Amino acid sequence: MRLRSWKARRSWKTRSKRTLIAAALTTTIVAGTAGWAVGNEQQPLTGPPPGTQAWRADHTWGVRLPDPATASPARVAAFFDSLSEAQQHSLVTRHPSVVGNLDGAPTVLRFEANSLSLKAERARERARVSDPSLTLQDHERARSLVTRYEQLLGPDRQILAFDPRGRGQVAAVYGDLASAKHVSVVVPGSDIDLSTFDRSNDEYGTPAGMARSLHAAAGDDTAVVAWVGYTTPVGLGPDAATGRLAEAGAPRLARFVQGLTASGTPRPSVFCHSYGSVVCGLAAPQLTASDLVVLGSPGMRADSVADLHTSARVWAAKDDSDWIGDVPNVELFGLGHGEDPADPGFGARRVPAERAEGHTGYFAPGTDSLKAFASIAETTAHGTPDNGTALAAPDADARPIGERP
């Protein structure tokens, strides 16, 4: 009996030690899409969009405009439906920064409003370029922002959200959102903001690159939104290993997706990369999505699909060459993000990823993962893609998408 008790204590100490080591490793390993620099603590951008104070004070028509901080996307959609076309455009002109970020507002009005906001920010930064009271560093940053805003104002751009505050946030649409039979949303991981959401040196590791690739693979009936609507971690550090930024981003993601459906789009498939899957896991109960797809995930702050409390189908992809596989799947003292969604015990449907390479290769053309993603994105309400490809049954035996028993 004494020997058994000693062995039990030793086993407990060993498990505890391993858990603590895993948690320590998590703080040094967990990152998002590409950064390996020491992380800097970020302050999340929260609250309603810029210009809300002026919006609230606007009583031009003798009615109270829906409060961006409290009105539901459904309430916002109903309000805009009650307006004439002239009244809608009047609000765009008077309050572009609010309308451009107001979930539930008609998408065409948001495109128009964000174009106005981008032009105003471009003009402001152009003035800063030659402002003698600013430093050379300020001038350089202003020039960089002018270039960035000019790119976002390109003729092929459809900007569904734009907020220049902090590191900047943006949502861009690829495809025709108004006529699309299917909609997808891409949620990125670390090191992504206004300046990096479409960088060319890591195309398929950016939300814009992922969205473009998915749209090309899924076809014109599908529109894809690259959403950078939360403050992401930068490099390595506590931000990447904790849920603090994800907790701030989750309600923003849920509200954004609710806004899409309130304005008339189909329930979207939501694709969550790396730390973005932590955001999606926390948002899942309020996420009006048809499918929730995580790739290169460090965990979703849940022990199983059931713990996500979602009606969406849940999918997971992880290739063997992805360094995220070295991240300990623990959650202890607020560090780490829990179970691996790609583990069969989690209960997610498996997406094949044998041809993907590394942490940012899941959307690369020619990969089995991209083919599967496109099939999920094209899925109808009855569970069959428009192209007739069969989807996997619920993951009782971890069969991948498209594989027959």
Side-chain angles (χ1 to χ4, degrees), residues 39-264:
N40 298 314
E41 187 175 77
Q42 302 296 302
Q43 294 305 313
L45 185 61
T46 59
T52 293
Q53 185 174 354
W55 169 275
R56 288 169 174 161
D58 189 337
H59 302 296
T60 302
W61 301 322
V63 298
R64 180 174 295 180
L65 305 181
D67 193 328
T70 59
S72 69
R75 165 77 179 90
V76 171
F79 170 76
F80 275 90
D81 282 345
S82 71
L83 302 180
S84 67
E85 185 175 341
Q87 288 175 320
Q88 290 179 351
H89 287 285
S90 175
L91 286 179
V92 168
T93 303
R94 300 204 306 273
H95 306 285
S97 60
V98 172
V99 176
N101 295 285
L102 192 56
D103 297 314
T107 55
V108 65
L109 295 183
R110 294 181 67 168
F111 293 153
E112 181 183 344
N114 286 317
S115 178
L116 293 176
S117 293
L118 281 162
K119 289 175 181 177
E121 286 298 312
R122 181 180 61 181
R124 190 175 78 87
E125 294 301 330
R126 278 176 173 169
R128 286 170 57 83
V129 168
S130 56
D131 187 337
S133 67
L134 300 179
T135 66
L136 292 177
Q137 186 177 8
D138 292 332
H139 291 163
E140 182 59 33
R141 172 168 171 73
R143 278 191 288 269
S144 177
L145 287 172
V146 168
T147 300
R148 169 85 290 191
Y149 296 149
E150 287 177 343
Q151 291 169 341
L152 294 178
L153 284 165
D156 60 337
R157 296 286 196 172
Q158 302 177 88
I159 305 303
L160 193 57
F162 167 66
D163 190 336
R165 296 177 298 175
R167 288 159 50 205
Q169 297 183 355
V170 64
V173 178
Y174 300 86
D176 188 348
L177 199 56
S179 64
K181 294 181 181 178
H182 314 287
V183 174
S184 292
V185 177
V186 174
V187 181
S190 297
D191 301 316
I192 300 296
D193 52 31
L194 183 66
S195 65
T196 60
F197 92 105
D198 61 353
R199 59 192 172 199
S200 58
N201 64 337
D202 185 24
E203 182 177 2
Y204 302 114
T206 69
M210 296 178 196
R212 279 193 296 263
S213 184
L214 180 58
H215 176 250
D220 291 337
D221 283 344
T222 298
V224 186
V225 183
W227 181 79
V228 187
Y230 80 105
T231 303
T232 68
V234 172
L236 295 173
D239 280 348
T242 66
R244 185 177 66 91
L245 295 181
E247 289 165 0
R252 298 173 73 85
L253 173 62
R255 185 179 176 86
F256 177 79
V257 173
Q258 291 166 10
L260 289 178
T261 55
S263 60

Side-chain angles (χ1 to χ4, degrees), residues 1-66:
M1 178 71 100
R2 187 176 300 169
L3 178 61
R4 193 180 309 135
S5 177
W6 176 81
K7 285 183 176 179
R9 287 198 303 272
R10 191 171 97 171
S11 175
W12 180 85
K13 288 181 179 179
T14 300
R15 291 197 305 270
S16 298
K17 183 177 180 181
R18 286 176 178 171
T19 302
L20 289 171
I21 291 173
L25 284 172
T26 301
T27 65
T28 60
I29 294 177
V30 175
T33 50
W36 285 95
V38 174
N40 298 314
E41 187 175 77
Q42 302 296 302
Q43 294 305 313
L45 185 61
T46 59
T52 293
Q53 185 174 354
W55 169 275
R56 288 169 174 161
D58 189 337
H59 302 296
T60 302
W61 301 322
V63 298
R64 180 174 295 180
L65 305 181

